Amino acid sequence: MDIQLEKREAINMLQETNDPSIIKAVIELLTKKKKDWWDDLTDAQKAAIKLGEEQIQNGEFSDFETMIKKHI
């Protein structure tokens, strides 16, 4: 479907509704800032990721093939 047609249909539906909860929900949706997934992580998760990054930078890791050979 053409995006312009979809927008017009959405505008028409919004104009026809008298439900304040729908209007409020649309406004919130359109004005909502996009969140960074990092902000939703716990401090423990962030620390674990940072530790993993440090380990990679220090060469403290194995590639997949080496890990498979070692553990299988």
Side-chain angles (χ1 to χ4, degrees), residues 33-47:
K33 283 185 165 181
K34 291 186 178 184
K35 287 177 57 177
D36 188 331
W37 60 270
W38 182 261
D39 297 332
D40 291 332
L41 298 177
T42 65
D43 289 340
Q45 291 170 320
K46 290 176 183 179

Side-chain angles (χ1 to χ4, degrees), residues 7 15 17 21 24 36 40 43-44 48-50 54-57 64 66 72:
K7 286 167 49 175
Q15 286 177 326
T17 188
S21 65
K24 183 178 179 180
D36 188 331
D40 291 332
D43 289 340
I49 292 170
K50 288 179 182 181
E54 290 172 12
Q55 290 171 329
I56 290 170
Q57 289 174 355
F64 180 75
T66 303
I72 292 185

Side-chain angles (χ1 to χ4, degrees), residues 1-51:
M1 182 179 275
D2 177 33
I3 189 69
Q4 296 303 321
L5 178 59
E6 289 182 13
K7 286 167 49 175
R8 283 191 294 270
E9 288 176 1
I11 290 168
N12 288 338
M13 286 188 278
L14 188 59
Q15 286 177 326
E16 292 174 6
T17 188
N18 291 318
D19 186 336
S21 65
I22 293 175
I23 296 167
K24 183 178 179 180
V26 170
I27 290 170
E28 288 177 5
L29 180 66
L30 293 175
T31 58
K32 183 178 179 181
K33 283 185 165 181
K34 291 186 178 184
K35 287 177 57 177
D36 188 331
W37 60 270
W38 182 261
D39 297 332
D40 291 332
L41 298 177
T42 65
D43 289 340
Q45 291 170 320
K46 290 176 183 179
I49 292 170
K50 288 179 182 181
L51 174 61

